[in-house]
Amino acid sequence: MYKEQKVTKKLVEEHGLSSEEHQMIKNLLGGREMNFTELGLFSIMWSEHCSYKNSRPLLKLFPRTGKNILVGAGEENAGVLDIGDGWAVAFKIESHNHPSAIEPFQGAATGVGGIIRDIFTMGARPIALMDSLRFGDPSKPRSKWLAGGVVGGIAFYGNCIGIPTVGGETFFDKSYDTNPLVNVFCLGILRHEDIAKGRAKGPGNPVFYVGAATGRDGIHGATFASENLDESSEDRRPSVQVGDPFMEKLLMEACLELLKTGAVIGIQDMGAAGLACSCSETASRGNSGIDIDVTLVPQREKGMIPYEILCSESQERMLVIVKKGREKQVNDIFEKWDLHAEKIGTVTEGDEMIVRNKGEIVASLRAKDLTEHIPAYTREVKEPSYIRELTKNSRTAVEKALLKKDVNFSHALLKLLASPNITSKHDIYEQYDHMVKTNTAVLPGSDASVLWVKEADKILAMTCDGNGRFCYGDPLTGGKIAVSEAARNLTCSGARPLAITNCLNFGNPYNLDVYWQFKKVIEGMSEACLKFGTPVTGGNVSFYNHNPTGAVFPTPVIGMLGIIEKLDHITSQFFKEPGDVIVLVGPTGEELSASEYMNVMENVSVGIPPALDLEMEYNVQSFCREAIREGLVSSAHDISEGGLAVALAECCISGQKPAGAAVNLPYPAEHPAGALFGETQSRIILSVKKDKLTEFANFCGNHRVPHVEIGSVISEKNIKIFIQDKTFIDLPVEALEKAWRKGVL
Amino acid sequence: MKFGVVVFPGSNCDEDCLYSLKEEIRVNACYVWHKTTQVNEFDALVLPGGFSYGDYLRVGAIARFSPVMNSVIEFARKGKLVIGICNGFQILLEAGLLPGAMLRNRKLRFICRYVHLKVSNEKTPFSQYAQKDEVLKIPIAHGEGNYYIDDKGLEELKENGQVIFRYCLSDGTINDESNPNGSVYDIAGICNRDHNVLGMMPHPERCCNPLLGSADGKKVFQSMKRFIEEK
């Protein structure tokens, strides 16, 4: 008979449950103490990572409804959005920060594997991946090691499984030194009628375990992701799982084939918290009970106890509930793909989750005790003291920078272009297969990635954006900017933003500063989402990105999806034809604080971010989108890191054919550094087709959005920037290219 | 006329090949599951890119033992057309249908990007739609495309006109800069002595529509189509 260890107070504590939580669990169990197996279940399901106990109440602030939403935030494994004509997309972004911090290659690889499963679990065929990455000071060897490992891991998994990695972003700052952020986005496409649900229903229906066998890898990974990182975190390396993209490719094909048969009642991937999570969540969503025997689970290690089998995070596994009588169909399909498919239990009446070991009951509790009856915590928030100091220091630093005489702005531009946050990321995205599936119409390197989804005849645009530096200085404004910039990137590609998914990367939620940042970012994001009509369809929260020296910048990452109506509307950021006129749309600000210029030229990496006027932002984007639809625009690029000068340089050099530009700002500049490199928001550089100038003038007459003609694309391979006829930058395009192509890896 | 696209476990460019053949080249095409041995109904077979068997052990080394492969070898011996793209090329090398071997890219990294190819022999069933020395823009996406063959083997390839595509710059110049992976003699694609089996690392199926950046890939498949039509 199986005998397990006794549950003591100390053991409960070691499992990350507080004494209040321990008492609550006792009450839920009718006064009895949990046994060791049950402790494993509670500890993992009540962890921050799985339960969102510190974020749930605040996440409710997000706008989460909209007429296009078919499956909303938190209902299933990923949100599903209607894109018309019976087609839908499932998309989501998720973090894999903690594993990547100690084992970057496998940490990132399994992050990709996990998000892909979340998408095909919904019945969707995954067609695109994106990554949003943050690393520490790039001059430190550890940052390079982490970056190289993470990029290698993403490439290893994504390339093998054959889903293109079409875009993303990479940012370096010392605040991420020990806590890199690895956020992975996946999007899949499906017909409305094919939406699959993660639920167990119909007593008597068999519960199948499919995919890879279970080992001891990743036991309590979710609990690990709910702790600060410190020196002892290295010992957590065994908590990081090992990915097998080939296995996942087979699993994906087999599951999608099985879903087509109509035999499936519910399907759920086994990611964080493995069998514990998939069994309790499917039963809970289906208002059913579930009865499984862990000895029936395929195992690749000897002597595993129920606790281990339930909590293992071995990769490439799924739970499938099928209609009784259709078992053979399941076995046939999985045999075709040479995969395991084992019946491990059945759906039952009531709400009990029963776990057996060779028939003997080792855990018996209500499924909802693990998924719903979990405490949620909210705390008072108060503006941290660092903000006042930062405001003061930031102002002084900017004043000092602006007063500098004899700044060579040409040199400054070259230096910025070669700096890690601005330089071309070709050495990253060229390691990713970004073309497989032959949908990619705008390749990585432009404002947004554009996919022409042939089977649905839809054109989708997507982008990942976030600016932790801005959120550190002012989380409310930073949250607004994150959403606005994502929308602006989509707008520049010719798309109308539809919805967002998000990953909220923060420090320890019990730290008051962190909790304040978290609340403010959510408020800012929510306000912007309402303005753009882009509801939140899901995502995840990653707390505890914290180490003994402090927390990472509060970093919300927005994965935004948009739709482009016609192929003609697809727009990229590169200048196309000499003679095209360059127009700056939006305000003419000079805000230098928290900019990349301050970081690179003045070594000041924090500050108060630029202001954001949502009304202005909205109008600028509408203007740009309409001009594109009218066929007036050759290129569109948003102004972000590095300001106007860097944006102009990118327009010249980032395309297949480099172009020159002659620009003369007709408005006075208080400080040239601010005018050239300031990161004032809500600005877009358009190039207008030379044969459409009259039409463009008429178009502008009908809009009251600030815009000004600032120059033209030239055939000469130079970039010249004047301010009121005075030269500030004059460089050959070749020099810009050389600086910018430096790369980061 | 019917093309077959062989599907190994782990193939991932099978869909793209099928789509391009059917929708862009307008020929009849269907999948061929790796467990089958029946391939006689086809006029040409495509071994698509991907990571057959996860590229475990060595690229193409396991796929070569799939049941379908003996039939593919027999099919090629009959003079019918076989094209292996990327992982398909690697499988053809392992199966002995083409000479040489594949090493990891010289920078030891996967590379995905558009490259330019010079057509070295335009008189084959895979290149007759192109001009001599024409420069084609076709993307690559591989980690192991560094083609190796010994000097003697290379001489034979050259003598028999078996080198079909070489990496070059957009103006046709061939130099070290134009070679993305370190391949011997800048080789991007070769065929067998009889010119009916082609292996190429670049992906013609990915560029059959200008919207995707180039339509030069069509020339490879159109050449095959014309060859079959004229036979």
Side-chain angles (χ1 to χ4, degrees):
Chain A
M1 201 179 106
Y2 167 69
K3 263 196 112 78
E4 58 186 15
Q5 90 188 81
K6 197 172 170 314
V7 172
T8 61
K9 220 173 135 185
K10 184 158 168 282
L11 196 62
V12 173
E13 211 172 279
E14 279 167 12
H15 276 73
L17 292 165
S18 71
S19 53
E20 293 78 29
E21 287 167 350
H22 187 184
Q23 190 53 50
M24 282 179 72
I25 292 167
K26 263 191 192 160
N27 297 345
L28 286 172
L29 296 177
R32 77 172 167 92
E33 180 63 278
M34 52 196 154
N35 64 31
F36 185 60
T37 305
E38 290 164 342
L39 172 61
L41 294 174
F42 275 107
S43 109
I44 204 165
M45 291 304 293
W46 283 37
S47 71
E48 186 65 51
H49 190 82
C50 291
S51 74
Y52 291 82
K53 56 192 172 192
N54 279 295
S55 59
R56 246 183 303 143
L58 293 177
L59 294 176
K60 289 192 178 138
L61 295 172
F62 281 140
R64 295 178 296 172
T65 52
K67 60 178 177 5
N68 296 333
I69 295 183
L70 301 174
V71 176
E75 287 176 38
E76 290 282 345
N77 291 294
V80 180
L81 199 70
D82 177 17
I83 54 166
D85 302 321
W87 288 96
V89 291
F91 69 113
K92 191 180 180 186
I93 191 165
E94 239 184 31
S95 62
H96 232 220
N97 305 337
H98 284 70
S100 305
I102 52 168
E103 214 315 273
F105 187 94
Q106 288 297 346
T110 50
V112 176
I115 193 70
I116 292 171
R117 284 195 301 280
D118 273 336
I119 298 307
F120 74 74
T121 295
M122 299 306 300
R125 175 164 283 279
I127 59 165
L129 293 164
M130 292 195 289
D131 310 287
S132 175
L133 311 176
R134 302 284 183 290
F135 302 107
D137 180 349
S139 64
K140 289 189 181 158
R142 185 179 167 81
S143 304
K144 288 241 169 190
W145 171 71
L146 285 169
V150 165
V151 170
I154 293 168
F156 159 72
Y157 212 101
N159 295 351
C160 179
I161 199 167
I163 300 166
T165 302
V166 298
E169 51 160 6
T170 312
F171 186 85
F172 296 86
D173 185 276
K174 59 178 184 289
S175 103
Y176 306 106
D177 270 357
T178 35
N179 297 83
L181 303 183
V182 176
N183 293 183
V184 197
F185 169 103
C186 185
L187 177 137
I189 184 145
L190 70 164
R191 300 286 305 168
H192 287 192
E193 60 273 19
D194 292 338
I195 296 175
K197 298 281 171 75
R199 55 194 55 179
K201 269 183 121 103
N205 281 327
V207 175
F208 275 88
Y209 168 111
V210 301
T214 296
R216 287 194 174 89
D217 46 342
I219 289 177
H220 277 307
T223 318
F224 163 49
S226 309
E227 286 172 4
N228 285 358
L229 290 185
D230 55 35
E231 287 98 40
S232 70
S233 301
E234 288 287 325
D235 304 338
R236 285 289 198 173
R237 207 181 298 261
S239 281
V240 181
Q241 315 84 338
V242 174
D244 179 352
F246 172 59
M247 173 61 86
E248 179 130 320
K249 165 79 175 161
L250 304 183
L251 184 62
M252 174 174 77
E253 297 299 342
C255 287
L256 290 173
E257 193 173 325
L258 180 64
L259 283 165
K260 289 272 176 227
T261 63
V264 175
I265 301 274
I267 180 165
Q268 167 122 351
D269 86 294
M270 293 192 222
L275 261 174
C277 180
S278 55
C279 289
S280 58
E281 282 194 358
T282 48
S284 174
R285 285 202 201 99
N287 292 314
S288 305
I290 194 163
D291 187 333
I292 64 158
D293 192 325
V294 291
T295 37
L296 301 173
V297 170
Q299 293 160 45
R300 61 178 153 78
E301 285 182 61
K302 284 209 172 91
M304 291 180 71
I305 58 170
Y307 175 105
E308 292 173 319
I309 297 168
L310 289 166
C311 298
S312 160
E313 293 188 4
S314 288
Q315 297 290 294
E316 292 94 22
R317 307 176 301 158
M318 307 281 288
L319 195 75
V320 190
I321 296 99
V322 296
K323 290 176 187 159
K324 199 172 163 54
R326 307 283 288 267
E327 291 87 344
K328 187 171 179 306
Q329 226 168 345
V330 181
N331 287 322
D332 286 350
I333 288 175
F334 280 81
E335 198 166 307
K336 172 184 164 191
W337 291 97
D338 304 318
L339 293 171
H340 289 287
E342 298 295 335
K343 187 187 161 199
I344 60 164
T346 44
V347 181
T348 56
E349 302 266 9
D351 57 2
E352 279 303 91
M353 169 163 163
I354 291 172
V355 180
R356 295 169 195 272
N357 184 53
K358 285 189 192 138
E360 178 200 342
I361 294 177
V362 289
S364 162
L365 36 79
R366 282 175 299 183
K368 284 184 182 175
D369 289 346
L370 297 175
T371 58
E372 288 180 15
H373 306 146
I374 303 171
Y377 305 118
T378 40
R379 277 182 300 284
E380 287 296 304
V381 296
K382 184 169 130 255
E383 185 176 290
S385 52
Y386 81 84
I387 290 288
R388 253 175 74 187
E389 207 172 312
L390 184 67
T391 312
K392 203 178 84 203
N393 295 346
S394 168
R395 199 177 298 136
T396 322
V398 169
E399 276 165 13
K400 200 176 128 218
L402 292 177
L403 285 175
K404 274 199 182 153
K405 298 270 181 254
D406 306 324
V407 179
N408 182 329
F409 292 108
S410 292
H411 283 174
L413 177 56
L414 291 176
K415 201 168 166 188
L416 277 163
L417 285 173
S419 70
N421 290 337
I422 292 175
T423 184
S424 163
K425 303 299 183 294
H426 68 278
D427 51 5
I428 295 179
Y429 65 70
E430 284 182 355
Q431 291 192 53
Y432 304 147
D433 189 339
H434 47 261
M435 300 180 195
V436 63
K437 291 200 178 291
T438 58
N439 291 324
T440 322
V442 174
L443 302 175
S446 195
D447 279 340
S449 306
V450 177
L451 256 61
W452 168 48
V453 188
K454 299 183 296 287
E455 57 182 321
D457 196 21
K458 297 282 173 199
I459 312 155
L460 301 176
M462 57 199 79
T463 179
C464 274
D465 287 287
N467 189 324
R469 188 186 285 155
F470 286 175
C471 292
Y472 179 74
D474 178 350
L476 184 74
T477 304
K480 284 186 211 171
I481 289 178
V483 174
S484 300
E485 192 186 338
R488 209 184 306 138
N489 282 330
L490 293 187
T491 295
C492 287
S493 73
R496 177 169 55 87
L498 293 178
I500 73 163
T501 173
N502 65 85
C503 198
L504 304 173
N505 307 276
F506 287 76
N508 186 332
Y510 292 97
N511 175 300
L512 290 180
D513 292 3
V514 169
Y515 196 68
W516 173 80
Q517 291 166 344
F518 184 66
K519 179 154 192 268
K520 288 292 160 187
V521 160
I522 290 178
E523 285 172 6
M525 284 172 60
S526 300
E527 212 182 314
C529 283
L530 279 173
K531 183 69 198 176
F532 292 107
T534 52
V536 175
T537 64
N540 99 315
V541 178
S542 170
F543 281 132
Y544 300 97
N545 296 290
H546 217 112
N547 62 69
T549 59
V552 297
F553 283 156
T555 312
V557 171
I558 314 299
M560 190 180 273
L561 177 73
I563 195 154
I564 300 178
E565 276 157 33
K566 290 184 181 158
L567 287 172
D568 297 346
H569 298 171
I570 298 176
T571 307
S572 56
Q573 70 182 32
F574 338 115
F575 287 149
K576 307 286 182 313
E577 287 294 326
D580 285 354
V581 168
I582 304 169
V583 176
L584 169 65
V585 186
T588 55
E590 299 185 7
E591 289 152 290
L592 209 53
S593 168
S595 67
E596 209 44 55
Y597 182 89
M598 289 301 292
N599 181 39
V600 172
M601 304 300 291
E602 301 293 325
N603 207 13
V604 176
S605 68
V606 291
I608 301 302
L612 185 84
D613 174 352
L614 273 175
E615 199 58 38
M616 169 72 88
E617 181 73 50
Y618 184 83
N619 292 337
V620 163
Q621 291 191 26
S622 307
F623 176 94
C624 177
R625 224 166 18 242
E626 275 177 52
I628 289 173
R629 280 198 210 125
E630 297 286 328
L632 307 172
V633 173
S634 289
S635 73
H637 185 25
D638 96 303
I639 297 181
S640 58
E641 284 95 347
L644 177 68
V646 165
L648 282 168
E650 287 170 345
C651 292
C652 290
I653 57 181
S654 57
Q656 294 263 345
K657 268 191 313 192
V663 167
N664 186 6
L665 303 183
Y667 49 86
E670 210 172 315
H671 296 285
L676 295 170
F677 300 107
E679 297 182 10
T680 293
Q681 295 295 299
S682 316
R683 299 191 295 167
I684 290 172
I685 295 173
L686 297 181
S687 67
V688 177
K689 291 176 187 166
K690 58 186 168 192
D691 54 344
K692 300 273 184 178
L693 291 175
T694 325
E695 282 168 84
F696 184 71
N698 292 338
F699 174 83
C700 293
N702 299 328
H703 289 80
R704 280 187 306 169
V705 172
H707 61 276
V708 54
E709 192 180 312
I710 58 170
S712 54
V713 181
I714 55 175
S715 51
E716 199 189 328
K717 296 287 182 275
N718 277 304
I719 179 166
K720 296 176 197 159
I721 306 180
F722 305 84
I723 301 178
Q724 293 194 309
D725 302 321
K726 190 175 164 209
T727 315
F728 281 88
I729 288 170
D730 188 351
L731 284 164
V733 167
E734 214 184 334
L736 298 176
E737 266 191 299
K738 199 172 158 231
W740 181 70
R741 296 279 302 178
K742 184 168 171 251
V744 285
L745 287 184
Chain B
M1 181 186 322
K2 196 170 182 188
F3 280 64
V5 177
V6 180
V7 183
F8 298 98
S11 294
N12 64 32
C13 301
D14 44 346
E15 259 179 63
D16 300 345
C17 287
L18 194 78
Y19 179 88
S20 290
L21 288 168
K22 285 169 91 163
E23 303 300 324
E24 305 288 0
I25 310 297
R26 300 265 162 205
V27 292
N28 191 3
C30 69
Y31 293 125
V32 180
W33 185 238
H34 71 109
K35 289 179 185 171
T36 183
T37 50
Q38 298 302 320
V39 294
N40 288 332
E41 59 180 302
F42 300 104
D43 300 286
L45 289 176
V46 181
L47 273 59
F51 288 69
S52 57
Y53 294 94
D55 274 358
Y56 295 141
L57 192 59
R58 190 174 66 238
V59 286
I62 305 178
R64 177 246 174 286
F65 292 103
S66 268
V68 75
M69 281 310 292
N70 284 333
S71 311
V72 172
I73 292 169
E74 202 181 313
F75 186 86
R77 290 220 175 101
K78 284 186 197 155
K80 290 193 177 181
L81 298 185
V82 177
I83 178 174
I85 301 165
C86 198
N87 193 227
F89 184 7
Q90 295 161 344
I91 297 168
L92 291 177
L93 292 173
E94 286 289 335
L97 281 171
L98 291 172
M102 216 50 95
L103 306 175
R104 288 189 72 189
N105 295 347
R106 64 178 154 190
K107 273 193 161 176
L108 304 179
R109 278 184 191 172
F110 191 94
I111 310 168
C112 174
R113 67 160 193 259
Y114 265 100
V115 295
H116 293 91
L117 306 181
K118 196 171 204 165
V119 180
S120 300
N121 182 353
E122 80 291 1
K123 296 191 182 77
T124 74
F126 305 97
S127 57
Q128 54 176 320
Y129 234 84
Q131 309 290 320
K132 169 93 183 143
D133 289 338
E134 187 175 339
V135 174
L136 306 179
K137 187 183 162 200
I138 298 187
I140 53 167
H142 59 248
E144 295 177 57
N146 181 356
Y147 178 75
Y148 178 78
I149 191 162
D150 61 17
D151 293 343
K152 187 164 160 279
L154 179 63
E155 280 316 307
E156 278 175 28
L157 286 182
K158 287 198 229 173
E159 269 166 36
N160 301 320
Q162 289 173 254
V163 178
I164 314 300
F165 301 116
R166 296 178 67 199
Y167 297 110
C168 66
L169 298 177
S170 58
D171 64 0
T173 312
I174 294 179
N175 59 21
D176 198 50
E177 191 196 336
S178 68
N179 186 331
N181 51 27
S183 282
V184 164
Y185 194 55
D186 309 285
I187 282 172
I190 54 161
C191 66
N192 62 345
R193 243 167 207 281
D194 295 336
H195 297 113
N196 68 317
V197 178
L198 175 88
M200 65 188 293
M201 287 314 292
H203 288 268
E205 82 283 7
R206 292 190 181 186
C207 52
C208 292
N209 188 318
L211 191 71
L212 301 172
S214 167
D216 287 352
K218 284 176 95 166
K219 295 197 174 172
V220 174
F221 299 121
Q222 271 163 341
S223 297
M224 294 171 74
K225 184 181 172 191
R226 184 194 280 174
F227 178 84
I228 296 164
E229 275 167 355
E230 287 173 356
K231 208 166 59 173

